[in-house]
Amino acid sequence: DVRVLRGNVLWKIPGCAHEDAPALSALAAILGKGDSALLWRELHEERGLVHELDVSAWMPPGDGGLFWISYAGELGDRRKIEDALLAAAARVAREGVDSALLRKVSRQAVSALVGSLGTASAAAARLGSECIGRGDPAATKIFLEKIRALTPEKIRAAAEKYFRSETLTTAALEKSSPRGKPASRAASPRFGAFPPFEEIRLSSGVRALLQPVPGFPKVCLRASLLGGGSFETEKTRGASALLSTLMTLDAGTRTAAEIAEEIESLGGSFDEVSGNNSFSLIAETLAGDEAAAAGILADAVCAPRFSEENFRRERAAQLAALRGEADEIESFARLALRREFFGAHPLAVPGVGTEEALSALRLSDVEALRARLVVPENVVVAASGEFDRDALAALLEEKFSPARFRGNGAEDLGLRFAAASPGAARELEIAAPAPAEQTIVQLAFPDVGFRDERYWVGALTEELLGGMSSRLFLEVREKRGLAYFVGAERIAAPETGMFFLCAGTARERAAATLEEMRKEMRRLRGGRISAEELLGAKTRLCVALRSGRQRAASRCGNAALNALCGLPADRDAEAESRIGALTADDVARFASETLAEEFSLALTVFPPE
């Protein structure tokens, strides 16, 4: 039993060496790549049938692959969704597509190739996979040339050839399905080479963070704002996440479909992300197209047009995502841990909110939240990539002009983030609502916020307890076979947080797994950390930071959030030196004073009887 319908529609197709592979790859992009794709526009935007949709042409080396459409929707809608997908496939096979869609797909393919070479590891992975899988390191370049040579008739012919009932399989998880019965139907810069972000204040009061990076032909523009639970009430939980989604739809003089068409025709993307403390709108394009990206981003921030139809559709999608969390015992356990650990603090609820609050949320609530949060003092626009500094600064000044902001001015946003009061040590057990194969064991402690100087000590402690080379993993999983997985995670806000260990195990091994977690924490508090163990954790942590900094979107996100919270934009650039100076005594002190046993919460979530 599940609360969100999840399904797949698949056809058999040939492998990547087949002559039809370029047409099938382009066909997948036309149907499902981005918000302007045919299936997304029809099934989500126009008919509201699906909340999620993904289309891919999986063509490994060899003889066979799959043309794969996956979706999420409301329970009971499987037949309507499948009928709509099959009807759309038949229509393309019968009528084909226009040349404009092919030009967009070609541009997207170039942009995706550039993006896939954005880090050293990604470039190495692509080179290796092409040599092994296709026998030629230039295989992708050749493939792109074949896509550029495609015609609408070739796309139609591929759809007619492969969208056949005899090669079709459909599958779904839905509450009414009989269990067990199958259902079928007829060159990136190195770390350290990045210049610091330059902060300029636009005349509107918006802060702009600029980081020109020559040599890699993409540009990321990210507008970030403080938001989340600290700015919501019990009755409006999830409003910030819904606000960020609605801001990416109709804006300025364009509809959501027109915005998606414009940005995706350039090979770019426009999306949003929301969390516990902030939300962001992110536009990425190839270098030279940043003016279009800046115009779309500024319209979304300054002139979104909310409609009741969009509100209801996106609220339903957010509710479906939230309900889906309860179907997986691991995600359900994390939600339960937050609720029990933080109590009345806003961090007790994830950014997507609660089912009760979202169901009662009104469009006027979201509009009121926007009026409070979308003010110049609460907007930071970060840019990184290959662009002209002076030209982009002038462009942002024009697009985010004072005339585009209306409101009464910002409240004291920084004071909204409060520390959580740790409770006394306690141990709880609860049952999950859905059947599962494992029991989840969690051990949580109060943590510092990311404005605290000890934040990096916590990051090093997390690394010591996480990963397959950690002492905890080796003892719990490899030596004793107590758990399927085990590791450490953090939930952080500016002034507070939660540090927790998590393991998936069998119910009869839950108590032993919890005891091993406590034993490992006692070891760290005692400072019993070898020099080799400490060095390994430092190295892994610094490599992860370097990998993250290779991506423009990651650099922009970190810089913007730092600036919003009163920290230096390039604070993370100093992380390596700070981490390198940490000692076993620093970890022991942090584990003893912050991750104290007297404030711990042990929560075990087991499958229902």
Side-chain angles (χ1 to χ4, degrees):
D1 286 351
V2 293
R3 303 180 68 193
V4 175
L5 169 69
R6 294 191 181 277
N8 300 277
V9 174
L10 310 97
W11 289 271
K12 292 179 181 180
I13 58 174
C16 61
H18 195 276
E19 62 180 2
D20 291 333
L24 288 166
S25 178
L27 180 57
I30 289 169
L31 292 177
K33 177 72 172 179
D35 291 347
S36 63
L38 292 180
L39 292 181
W40 179 255
R41 187 177 295 178
E42 178 180 337
L43 271 73
H44 179 76
E45 301 288 350
E46 297 176 5
R47 301 179 60 181
L49 279 177
V50 299
H51 305 309
E52 300 171 17
L53 185 79
D54 184 59
V55 183
S56 61
W58 178 63
M59 295 178 287
D63 295 333
L66 292 171
F67 196 96
W68 192 304
I69 303 175
S70 62
Y71 62 85
E74 295 293 329
L75 293 174
D77 283 350
R78 176 183 180 182
R79 184 53 59 91
K80 287 192 291 185
I81 294 171
E82 287 185 0
D83 285 347
L85 290 172
L86 295 175
R91 188 168 59 251
V92 172
R94 184 175 61 254
E95 301 173 4
V97 299
D98 63 42
S99 57
L101 284 174
L102 266 182
R103 287 195 297 272
K104 180 181 73 171
V105 165
S106 177
R107 186 75 170 175
Q108 288 175 335
V110 173
S111 182
L113 174 61
V114 172
S116 72
L117 302 174
T119 67
S121 61
R126 176 169 286 281
L127 180 64
S129 65
E130 290 183 348
C131 287
I132 295 298
R134 300 182 181 180
D136 187 348
T140 296
K141 181 180 179 181
I142 297 170
F143 198 78
L144 286 179
E145 293 302 324
K146 291 181 178 179
I147 287 179
R148 285 175 170 166
L150 289 171
T151 64
E153 173 55 27
K154 288 183 179 180
I155 298 295
R156 189 207 62 76
E160 182 182 35
K161 182 177 180 180
Y162 293 104
F163 289 164
R164 295 180 296 136
S165 60
E166 57 266 33
T167 61
L168 170 69
T169 298
T170 69
L173 291 176
E174 55 179 341
K175 200 167 189 175
S176 60
S177 292
R179 291 181 184 274
K181 182 180 179 180
S184 62
R185 285 184 52 187
S188 177
R190 62 180 176 84
F191 182 85
F194 299 109
F197 279 91
E198 174 195 3
E199 180 173 329
I200 61 174
R201 178 82 63 166
L202 305 181
S203 59
S204 62
V206 169
R207 286 171 286 173
L209 305 174
L210 306 180
Q211 186 190 55
V213 181
F216 190 66
K218 291 201 83 169
V219 177
C220 175
L221 292 171
R222 180 172 183 142
S224 296
L225 301 88
L226 292 177
S230 294
F231 303 91
E232 300 164 352
T233 67
E234 291 291 332
K235 295 182 178 181
T236 61
R237 293 288 186 234
S240 294
L242 190 53
L243 169 62
S244 65
T245 300
L246 292 175
M247 289 171 69
T248 63
L249 301 179
D250 303 341
T253 60
R254 289 166 292 197
T255 65
E258 290 169 338
I259 291 171
E261 183 67 33
E262 179 177 346
I263 193 74
E264 291 171 10
S265 294
L266 297 173
S269 62
F270 181 48
D271 207 351
E272 54 81 26
V273 62
S274 60
N276 298 314
N277 315 295
S278 65
F279 62 92
S280 300
L281 310 182
I282 308 162
E284 287 191 277
T285 64
L286 293 169
D289 293 329
E290 56 268 21
I296 290 172
L297 187 68
D299 280 350
V301 172
C302 303
R305 294 185 287 111
F306 298 160
S307 70
E308 190 68 33
E309 179 185 2
N310 285 346
F311 167 76
R312 291 184 180 277
R313 184 183 65 243
E314 300 306 329
R315 183 183 62 176
Q318 192 165 316
L319 272 168
L322 187 59
R323 290 167 180 154
E325 295 288 320
D327 292 336
E328 300 289 341
I329 191 170
E330 190 177 347
S331 55
F332 172 82
R334 277 164 169 71
L335 293 174
L337 183 68
R338 291 178 71 140
R339 184 174 63 249
E340 296 293 341
F341 187 88
F342 287 111
H345 193 276
L347 283 182
V349 177
V352 292
T354 66
E355 189 172 340
E356 180 182 10
L358 270 179
S359 298
L361 199 67
R362 299 166 299 176
L363 177 57
S364 58
D365 298 321
V366 178
E367 291 172 328
L369 183 65
R370 180 190 176 273
R372 289 168 48 216
L373 295 184
V374 185
V375 291
E377 296 85 349
N378 191 37
V379 178
V380 173
V381 179
S384 182
E386 192 171 69
F387 59 82
D388 179 272
R389 181 265 181 210
D390 293 340
L392 185 59
L395 182 64
L396 294 178
E397 174 65 35
E398 173 194 344
K399 299 297 183 183
F400 292 90
S401 65
R404 305 205 70 187
F405 287 91
R406 297 176 182 175
N408 299 323
E411 53 192 294
D412 194 349
L413 297 165
L415 296 180
R416 283 303 193 109
F417 294 105
S421 300
R426 57 206 187 280
E427 190 168 332
L428 302 172
E429 289 188 356
I430 61 174
E437 295 296 325
Q438 60 185 333
T439 292
I440 304 298
V441 178
Q442 299 168 115
L443 181 62
F445 306 91
D447 197 359
V448 298
F450 55 74
R451 290 206 293 197
D452 195 293
E453 290 297 314
R454 296 168 293 171
Y455 179 77
W456 296 116
V457 191
L460 181 58
T461 306
E462 180 187 11
E463 190 61 47
L464 283 165
L465 293 164
M468 292 186 291
S469 60
S470 70
R471 286 274 298 269
L472 179 64
F473 182 90
L474 295 175
E475 183 66 30
V476 170
R477 189 181 188 278
E478 299 299 294
K479 292 183 180 180
R480 301 192 58 188
L482 291 174
Y484 312 117
F485 69 87
V486 63
E489 297 182 36
R490 304 172 85 185
I491 293 175
E495 303 297 346
T496 194
M498 177 176 68
F499 188 110
F500 66 102
L501 307 182
C502 180
T505 184
R507 185 165 185 177
E508 63 271 16
R509 299 189 183 102
T513 302
L514 180 59
E515 178 53 35
E516 287 299 323
M517 290 177 172
R518 287 177 167 146
K519 185 186 299 183
E520 184 65 6
M521 293 305 302
R522 291 193 292 269
R523 182 179 74 88
L524 295 186
R525 294 186 191 109
R528 298 188 297 276
I529 307 168
S530 69
E532 180 182 10
E533 181 185 9
L534 188 66
L535 178 60
K538 287 182 179 181
T539 302
R540 293 192 301 274
L541 181 55
C542 289
V543 167
L545 290 170
R546 292 182 184 186
S547 296
R549 278 178 58 86
Q550 289 183 81
R551 296 174 176 83
S554 178
R555 295 195 301 273
C556 288
N558 290 336
L561 184 58
N562 285 336
L564 284 169
C565 294
L567 297 166
D570 288 291
R571 178 208 191 198
D572 295 354
E574 306 171 1
E576 277 202 70
S577 60
R578 294 193 177 193
I579 292 166
L582 295 175
T583 66
D585 288 341
D586 294 323
V587 174
R589 189 177 307 109
F590 180 82
S592 298
E593 296 175 358
T594 304
L595 311 181
E597 183 64 32
E598 58 264 34
F599 301 127
S600 66
L601 168 63
L603 178 64
T604 301
V605 179
F606 52 84
E609 296 291 348

PDB file of all heavy atoms in Angstrom, residues 13-30:
ATOM      1  N   ILE A  13      14.006  -1.032 -26.899  1.00  0.00           N
ATOM      2  CA  ILE A  13      14.691  -0.329 -27.977  1.00  0.00           C
ATOM      3  C   ILE A  13      16.095  -0.921 -28.122  1.00  0.00           C
ATOM      4  O   ILE A  13      16.545  -1.657 -27.241  1.00  0.00           O
ATOM      5  CB  ILE A  13      14.781   1.196 -27.723  1.00  0.00           C
ATOM      6  CG1 ILE A  13      15.507   1.480 -26.392  1.00  0.00           C
ATOM      7  CG2 ILE A  13      13.414   1.842 -27.750  1.00  0.00           C
ATOM      8  CD1 ILE A  13      15.748   2.969 -26.149  1.00  0.00           C
ATOM      9  N   PRO A  14      16.821  -0.599 -29.189  1.00  0.00           N
ATOM     10  CA  PRO A  14      18.172  -1.150 -29.368  1.00  0.00           C
ATOM     11  C   PRO A  14      19.204  -0.441 -28.496  1.00  0.00           C
ATOM     12  O   PRO A  14      18.889   0.529 -27.795  1.00  0.00           O
ATOM     13  CB  PRO A  14      18.443  -0.922 -30.851  1.00  0.00           C
ATOM     14  CG  PRO A  14      17.612   0.259 -31.210  1.00  0.00           C
ATOM     15  CD  PRO A  14      16.367   0.143 -30.373  1.00  0.00           C
ATOM     16  N   GLY A  15      20.451  -0.918 -28.561  1.00  0.00           N
ATOM     17  CA  GLY A  15      21.542  -0.331 -27.800  1.00  0.00           C
ATOM     18  C   GLY A  15      22.111   0.910 -28.455  1.00  0.00           C
ATOM     19  O   GLY A  15      21.661   1.347 -29.526  1.00  0.00           O
ATOM     20  N   CYS A  16      23.154   1.460 -27.828  1.00  0.00           N
ATOM     21  CA  CYS A  16      23.671   2.774 -28.237  1.00  0.00           C
ATOM     22  C   CYS A  16      24.370   2.768 -29.589  1.00  0.00           C
ATOM     23  O   CYS A  16      24.557   3.827 -30.191  1.00  0.00           O
ATOM     24  CB  CYS A  16      24.618   3.306 -27.159  1.00  0.00           C
ATOM     25  SG  CYS A  16      26.072   2.260 -26.862  1.00  0.00           S
ATOM     26  N   ALA A  17      24.763   1.593 -30.082  1.00  0.00           N
ATOM     27  CA  ALA A  17      25.469   1.550 -31.365  1.00  0.00           C
ATOM     28  C   ALA A  17      24.511   1.489 -32.559  1.00  0.00           C
ATOM     29  O   ALA A  17      24.949   1.609 -33.709  1.00  0.00           O
ATOM     30  CB  ALA A  17      26.418   0.347 -31.405  1.00  0.00           C
ATOM     31  N   HIS A  18      23.224   1.341 -32.311  1.00  0.00           N
ATOM     32  CA  HIS A  18      22.257   1.199 -33.409  1.00  0.00           C
ATOM     33  C   HIS A  18      22.072   2.526 -34.144  1.00  0.00           C
ATOM     34  O   HIS A  18      22.187   3.609 -33.550  1.00  0.00           O
ATOM     35  CB  HIS A  18      20.918   0.721 -32.839  1.00  0.00           C
ATOM     36  CG  HIS A  18      19.974   0.198 -33.864  1.00  0.00           C
ATOM     37  ND1 HIS A  18      19.149   1.023 -34.591  1.00  0.00           N
ATOM     38  CD2 HIS A  18      19.718  -1.071 -34.291  1.00  0.00           C
ATOM     39  CE1 HIS A  18      18.410   0.292 -35.413  1.00  0.00           C
ATOM     40  NE2 HIS A  18      18.734  -0.989 -35.244  1.00  0.00           N
ATOM     41  N   GLU A  19      21.744   2.449 -35.408  1.00  0.00           N
ATOM     42  CA  GLU A  19      21.581   3.662 -36.212  1.00  0.00           C
ATOM     43  C   GLU A  19      20.402   4.527 -35.752  1.00  0.00           C
ATOM     44  O   GLU A  19      20.363   5.728 -36.041  1.00  0.00           O
ATOM     45  CB  GLU A  19      21.387   3.280 -37.684  1.00  0.00           C
ATOM     46  CG  GLU A  19      20.139   2.453 -37.968  1.00  0.00           C
ATOM     47  CD  GLU A  19      19.987   2.101 -39.435  1.00  0.00           C
ATOM     48  OE1 GLU A  19      20.874   2.470 -40.222  1.00  0.00           O
ATOM     49  OE2 GLU A  19      18.973   1.458 -39.784  1.00  0.00           O
ATOM     50  N   ASP A  20      19.450   3.925 -35.036  1.00  0.00           N
ATOM     51  CA  ASP A  20      18.310   4.692 -34.545  1.00  0.00           C
ATOM     52  C   ASP A  20      18.562   5.357 -33.188  1.00  0.00           C
ATOM     53  O   ASP A  20      17.678   6.066 -32.679  1.00  0.00           O
ATOM     54  CB  ASP A  20      17.080   3.780 -34.413  1.00  0.00           C
ATOM     55  CG  ASP A  20      16.552   3.318 -35.758  1.00  0.00           C
ATOM     56  OD1 ASP A  20      16.759   4.046 -36.743  1.00  0.00           O
ATOM     57  OD2 ASP A  20      15.957   2.219 -35.814  1.00  0.00           O
ATOM     58  N   ALA A  21      19.718   5.120 -32.585  1.00  0.00           N
ATOM     59  CA  ALA A  21      19.991   5.638 -31.240  1.00  0.00           C
ATOM     60  C   ALA A  21      19.886   7.165 -31.161  1.00  0.00           C
ATOM     61  O   ALA A  21      19.282   7.697 -30.219  1.00  0.00           O
ATOM     62  CB  ALA A  21      21.358   5.160 -30.756  1.00  0.00           C
ATOM     63  N   PRO A  22      20.445   7.934 -32.108  1.00  0.00           N
ATOM     64  CA  PRO A  22      20.306   9.396 -32.006  1.00  0.00           C
ATOM     65  C   PRO A  22      18.849   9.858 -32.044  1.00  0.00           C
ATOM     66  O   PRO A  22      18.452  10.754 -31.294  1.00  0.00           O
ATOM     67  CB  PRO A  22      21.085   9.904 -33.226  1.00  0.00           C
ATOM     68  CG  PRO A  22      22.070   8.821 -33.525  1.00  0.00           C
ATOM     69  CD  PRO A  22      21.336   7.545 -33.211  1.00  0.00           C
ATOM     70  N   ALA A  23      18.039   9.243 -32.906  1.00  0.00           N
ATOM     71  CA  ALA A  23      16.633   9.641 -32.998  1.00  0.00           C
ATOM     72  C   ALA A  23      15.891   9.310 -31.704  1.00  0.00           C
ATOM     73  O   ALA A  23      15.051  10.094 -31.239  1.00  0.00           O
ATOM     74  CB  ALA A  23      15.968   8.942 -34.185  1.00  0.00           C
ATOM     75  N   LEU A  24      16.198   8.168 -31.105  1.00  0.00           N
ATOM     76  CA  LEU A  24      15.538   7.791 -29.847  1.00  0.00           C
ATOM     77  C   LEU A  24      15.963   8.713 -28.709  1.00  0.00           C
ATOM     78  O   LEU A  24      15.146   9.077 -27.866  1.00  0.00           O
ATOM     79  CB  LEU A  24      15.871   6.342 -29.512  1.00  0.00           C
ATOM     80  CG  LEU A  24      15.189   5.300 -30.413  1.00  0.00           C
ATOM     81  CD1 LEU A  24      15.832   3.935 -30.248  1.00  0.00           C
ATOM     82  CD2 LEU A  24      13.691   5.232 -30.104  1.00  0.00           C
ATOM     83  N   SER A  25      17.229   9.098 -28.685  1.00  0.00           N
ATOM     84  CA  SER A  25      17.700  10.037 -27.660  1.00  0.00           C
ATOM     85  C   SER A  25      16.998  11.388 -27.807  1.00  0.00           C
ATOM     86  O   SER A  25      16.558  11.993 -26.813  1.00  0.00           O
ATOM     87  CB  SER A  25      19.217  10.206 -27.773  1.00  0.00           C
ATOM     88  OG  SER A  25      19.696  11.130 -26.824  1.00  0.00           O
ATOM     89  N   ALA A  26      16.899  11.873 -29.043  1.00  0.00           N
ATOM     90  CA  ALA A  26      16.215  13.144 -29.282  1.00  0.00           C
ATOM     91  C   ALA A  26      14.732  13.038 -28.951  1.00  0.00           C
ATOM     92  O   ALA A  26      14.133  13.970 -28.403  1.00  0.00           O
ATOM     93  CB  ALA A  26      16.408  13.564 -30.738  1.00  0.00           C
ATOM     94  N   LEU A  27      14.120  11.901 -29.270  1.00  0.00           N
ATOM     95  CA  LEU A  27      12.700  11.698 -28.988  1.00  0.00           C
ATOM     96  C   LEU A  27      12.435  11.755 -27.480  1.00  0.00           C
ATOM     97  O   LEU A  27      11.440  12.352 -27.040  1.00  0.00           O
ATOM     98  CB  LEU A  27      12.252  10.356 -29.554  1.00  0.00           C
ATOM     99  CG  LEU A  27      10.787   9.957 -29.363  1.00  0.00           C
ATOM    100  CD1 LEU A  27       9.854  11.006 -29.954  1.00  0.00           C
ATOM    101  CD2 LEU A  27      10.524   8.586 -29.987  1.00  0.00           C
ATOM    102  N   ALA A  28      13.325  11.164 -26.676  1.00  0.00           N
ATOM    103  CA  ALA A  28      13.169  11.222 -25.219  1.00  0.00           C
ATOM    104  C   ALA A  28      13.243  12.659 -24.721  1.00  0.00           C
ATOM    105  O   ALA A  28      12.472  13.073 -23.841  1.00  0.00           O
ATOM    106  CB  ALA A  28      14.236  10.364 -24.544  1.00  0.00           C
ATOM    107  N   ALA A  29      14.145  13.450 -25.290  1.00  0.00           N
ATOM    108  CA  ALA A  29      14.265  14.852 -24.880  1.00  0.00           C
ATOM    109  C   ALA A  29      13.036  15.658 -25.282  1.00  0.00           C
ATOM    110  O   ALA A  29      12.556  16.505 -24.520  1.00  0.00           O
ATOM    111  CB  ALA A  29      15.529  15.460 -25.491  1.00  0.00           C
ATOM    112  N   ILE A  30      12.530  15.406 -26.478  1.00  0.00           N
ATOM    113  CA  ILE A  30      11.340  16.128 -26.946  1.00  0.00           C
ATOM    114  C   ILE A  30      10.142  15.837 -26.052  1.00  0.00           C
ATOM    115  O   ILE A  30       9.369  16.728 -25.691  1.00  0.00           O
ATOM    116  CB  ILE A  30      11.033  15.743 -28.404  1.00  0.00           C
ATOM    117  CG1 ILE A  30      12.094  16.355 -29.335  1.00  0.00           C
ATOM    118  CG2 ILE A  30       9.634  16.176 -28.815  1.00  0.00           C
ATOM    119  CD1 ILE A  30      12.039  15.832 -30.755  1.00  0.00           C
TER     120      ILE A  30
END
